[in-house]
Amino acid sequence: MTARTLLLGATASIAMAASAQAERGSDGELRLLYWQAPSTLNPFLSGGRKDSEAAGLVLEPLARFDERGVLTPWLVDEIPTVENGGVREDLTQITWKLSPGVTWSDGTPLTSADVKFTYDYCTHPEGGCAHQTKFDGITSVEAPDAQTVVITFDAPTPNPHVAFVGLESPVLQAAQFADCLGATASTCTEANFNPIRTGPFVVDEFKPNDVIIYSANDRFRLEGKPHFGKVTLKGGGDAASAARAVMETGEFDYAWNQQLAPDIIKSMEASGKGRFISEFGPTVERLVLNHSNPDPSLGPDERSIIKPHPFLQDPAIYKAMSMAIDRPLLVEVGYGPAGKVTCNWVPAPEWHNSDTFDCDEQDLEGANKLLDDAGIVDTDGDGIREKDGVPLKVLYQTSTNAVRQDTQELVKMMWADIGIETELRNINASVYFGGDAGSPDTFQKFYADVQMYSNTFGGTDPQGYFGNGLCDKAPTPEKQWQGENISRYCNPEFDALFEELKTAVGNEARGAIGRRLNDMAIEDGMMIPLVHRGRVSAQSNTLEGVVMNAWDSELWNIHDWRRAD
């Protein structure tokens, strides 16, 4: 199949018929509402999904995942495999062939040199890259000719389709970012806010943490697409107000990430102006436990890197914290049918879903006994347990969102029942998930004991996602606070097992190792999983062509979106 055929995806037959006579941009303006406002259009400088999704309208990878999680050609005509000669038989090399005729929005051709440059950019020793695990195990990226990209690995790699694949690993234009390598990456405001692009839209105006105005890319490779001539992506507010703007007032066409209570969703649907669409992928709402000491009396480096946490690495404590949580209640109150109880970091696909842990029921009695047996008791009668004289007091932070604040309040009460005092803090989502290295409030800095959020991975193979637990992937000042290992968890056994995953062949073998990595992270207190979340967004009834995708960006096929007749 050609890239054009596959790009049309599940909406192909409808879209081709509808667009036979249509001109590019003929459907006017599309209005999107992201209550977590984007702060950059360079996904390599942010771990926030809001930024990667906004950038996805303009920047593209070589391949991405469709709504079933199937790898799909994007800037290439064919996915390299052993069978078609694109992957070396010993699995140490993959060769991509760029589709001919693809141009950047400035009219220059996309070439393999741009792909190689992107690798150099993200792996530069002096610069931070929020998605560096995408390039783990690669020894070189070469461009033998303008259309050919050759990636060589340090060992046989059964899953070679990671770098330059999916929402978080697009291709940057070498000419635009040439002076943005290393420590200068975050200072290139024009490039980071207005990247030259191959995608269906171009950026007309970008106000960080506020609004982005896009217009149709006249050089986009698919004839007659995108259907919309203009896109306004408005940021800010909250999930409920964003949903109302689609479902009740009709001011917007699409509202992303509707983390709303079930009763609110039901009442909004009664208006008849839109509908909520959802799909389950591997997204998990979790509590991340800080393995460093966030004491504000320490310096900023010590606070996130050097000194170990005074009590959160004690298994009795973090296991008791997990046992005290009533997960079915959290699902009932905050998620309804869009949530499921999970004990796992990676609950999907099924062959990676471990059955080691049981967390379907709250166990306050068992949690208290575990702490008592470990000698972690209340010695002064104030209701707060101590470990080695340190009171079990935690600062628990997350983004500002009604469901998350409800969860915080419930967890705080549950932890009080086992002698842990909890201070709650919520931070504006645009700041919390932003990439500003100067802000103390990002989830990468993690100036708290516990923090809550969800994230996910593209496709159905979580190899790169498990890389979030590697010792060397912790955010540091030297990396401009970029890095995926937010908890600062470090276990050499985990790192060694990850190396085994990189060379394992077949779902059965890879799933077995993946489940062990999952179990190790949970057993070692890297995180406490809470809820397996479905992805939910609000769509106007005046919009057609939307295909919800839990394995990639929700906007993955935005070039096929159109106004309903």
Side-chain angles (χ1 to χ4, degrees), residues 251-265:
E251 297 171 80
F252 284 81
D253 299 303
Y254 192 86
W256 168 81
N257 190 20
Q258 295 308 295
Q259 194 174 0
L260 299 170
D263 58 331
I264 295 177
I265 287 177

Side-chain angles (χ1 to χ4, degrees), residues 12-89:
S13 58
I14 300 173
M16 290 178 70
S19 64
Q21 305 299 323
E23 294 182 3
R24 174 174 289 153
S26 60
D27 279 355
E29 182 183 7
L30 172 67
R31 294 181 61 80
L32 309 176
L33 195 50
Y34 273 51
W35 58 274
Q36 295 180 12
S39 55
T40 181
L41 288 178
N42 182 352
F44 293 124
L45 296 183
S46 173
R49 192 168 187 86
K50 63 186 178 65
D51 299 314
S52 296
E53 295 239 353
L57 276 69
V58 296
L59 295 174
E60 299 179 300
L62 300 183
R64 65 191 324 164
F65 303 94
D66 69 11
E67 77 279 11
R68 299 161 296 166
V70 176
L71 191 60
T72 303
W74 216 252
L75 295 175
V76 297
D77 287 340
E78 186 176 46
I79 300 297
T81 65
V82 172
E83 290 73 20
N84 63 26
V87 176
R88 186 184 284 174
E89 288 190 2

